[in-house]
């Protein structure tokens, strides 16, 4: 049974989610055609709903997405109406009331509606393309709320986990060579990396940048170094990165940091990923709504670099006498 979902609607700040789903029965049904369609539908949804695709990977039997939901009040009424007309496929339709407008605003900022719409459209296409019917995914998707702040490298960690999927699977030795992932997309100048400059101030301290492109470039350098094992990103400067890359022999098969060879359940079977303070904040906020039968506490291990998740713990039975 899938776990409860932690999600929230914020009027003044963005919310980030790691989203995962798998094909029923572990079947390998995503070939190049299917992966290209998944990518196409995700990009189409950006114009209809309200989200940004920060990262992704499409494997043969599952996918991972890193989705940013912007603040609900960031979209003005004009842009909202445009999305409503695209969503309804009617260029002349209008909202009939303020309540309907507000309901639609909340809906297109809701991770459940966004991913549900994406999966439904893909399954409809897949069944038509392959003359099949019925369910494609084994269960509802998993989603984890991700902290994005200078207090935690959770975003980098999740992006590395996503990007290194094809490396762990032995498909490529470098994620830049895997066509269906966000890392190769952003290096090729695709739409995925357009917001990379937003992470410059968080992860590129001490590095000077003149414009947005410069910020994007430096963030991608820090991210690549992070995947390869650099743990000094919080104090990273141009000299630190240059020294690190001189030590990495890029002419040989890259030896990615063992930190990322871990159980995927840490990322896909929890509720929140971030610093201990962030996890405790969400635990306090959502505990009453979850109706949990088990005790939940922030969980981490030494090699996780102070990244915590929500992991259920069984209640201890009271000892006799």
């Amino acid at each position: 049974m899938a776990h409860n979902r932690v999600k929230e609607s914020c009027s003044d700040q963005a919310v980030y989610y790691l989203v995962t789903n798998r094909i029923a029965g572990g079947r390998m049904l995503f070939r190049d055609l299917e992966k290209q369609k998944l990518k196409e539908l995700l990009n189409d949804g950006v114009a209809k709903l309200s989200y940004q695709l920060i990262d992704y990977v499409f494997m043969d039997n599952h996918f991972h997405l890193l989705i940013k939901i912007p603040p609900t009040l960031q979209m003005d009424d004009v842009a909202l109406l445009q999305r409503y007309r695209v969503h309804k496929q009617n260029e002349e339709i209008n909202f009939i009331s303020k309540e309907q407008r507000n309901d639609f605003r909340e809906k297109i900022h809701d991770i459940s509606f966004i991913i549900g719409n994406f999966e439904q459209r893909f399954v409809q296409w897949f069944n038509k393309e392959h003359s099949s019917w019925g369910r494609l995914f084994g269960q509802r998707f998993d989603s984890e709320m991700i902290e994005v702040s200078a207090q935690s490298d959770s975003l980098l960690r999740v992006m590395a986990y996503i990007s290194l999927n094809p490396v762990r699977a032995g498909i490529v030795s470098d994620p830049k060579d895997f066509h269906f992932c966000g890392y190769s997309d952003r290096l090729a100048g695709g739409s995925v990396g357009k917001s990379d400059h937003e992470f410059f101030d968080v992860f590129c301290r001490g590095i000077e940048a003149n414009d947005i492109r410069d910020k994007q470039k430096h963030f991608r350098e820090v991210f690549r170094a992070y995947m390869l094992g650099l743990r000094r990103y919080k104090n990273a400067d141009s000299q630190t990165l240059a020294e690190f890359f001189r030590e990495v022999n890029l002419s040989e098969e890259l030896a990615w940091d063992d930190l990322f060879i871990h159980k995927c359940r840490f990322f896909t079977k929890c509720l929140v990923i971030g610093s201990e303070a962030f996890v405790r904040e969400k635990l306090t906020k959502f505990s009453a709504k979850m109706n949990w039968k088990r005790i939940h506490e922030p969980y981490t291990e030494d090699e996780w670099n102070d990244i915590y998740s929500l992991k259920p713990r069984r209640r201890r039975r009271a000892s006799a006498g």
Side-chain angles (χ1 to χ4, degrees), residues 154-219:
S154 302
L155 178 75
L156 295 177
R157 180 69 184 272
V158 170
M159 288 178 64
Y161 170 68
I162 292 172
S163 299
L164 293 177
N165 261 252
V167 177
R168 287 194 296 272
I171 300 172
V172 295
S173 59
D174 192 319
K176 69 179 177 60
D177 299 319
F178 188 70
H179 179 66
F180 298 105
C181 78
Y183 186 70
S184 64
D185 198 338
R186 60 184 10 104
L187 293 183
S191 59
V192 169
K194 288 184 177 179
S195 61
D196 282 353
H197 61 279
E198 297 176 5
F199 308 124
F200 175 83
D201 292 337
V202 179
F203 299 111
C204 303
R205 298 179 182 179
I207 299 178
E208 295 184 0
N210 298 318
D211 52 31
I212 289 179
R213 288 187 179 181
D214 212 17
K215 290 183 177 181
Q216 292 173 340
K217 171 178 175 291
H218 284 304
F219 171 72

Side-chain angles (χ1 to χ4, degrees), residues 115-142:
I115 302 302
N117 179 269
F118 160 65
E119 289 186 344
Q120 182 182 38
R121 294 173 66 207
F122 176 76
V123 172
Q124 289 173 346
W125 171 87
F126 183 91
N127 286 341
K128 182 178 180 181
E129 181 72 20
H130 296 281
S131 300
S132 59
W133 58 276
R135 295 180 60 183
L136 177 64
F137 296 105
Q139 59 183 11
R140 68 173 186 164
F141 66 91
D142 291 309

Side-chain angles (χ1 to χ4, degrees), residues 99-117:
E99 288 72 22
Q100 185 191 44
R101 183 183 64 196
N102 292 340
D103 287 346
F104 183 73
R105 184 187 298 276
E106 289 295 323
K107 180 184 291 186
I108 66 173
H109 288 82
D110 187 299
I111 190 66
S112 295
F113 181 77
I114 290 169
I115 302 302
N117 179 269

Side-chain angles (χ1 to χ4, degrees), residues 35 45 85 129 133 144 159 185 217-218 230 243 266 284 316:
K35 293 171 185 175
R85 288 174 172 175
E129 181 72 20
W133 58 276
E144 289 74 36
M159 288 178 64
D185 198 338
K217 171 178 175 291
H218 284 304
L230 178 64
E243 290 175 351
F266 174 67
T284 300
R316 294 181 179 179

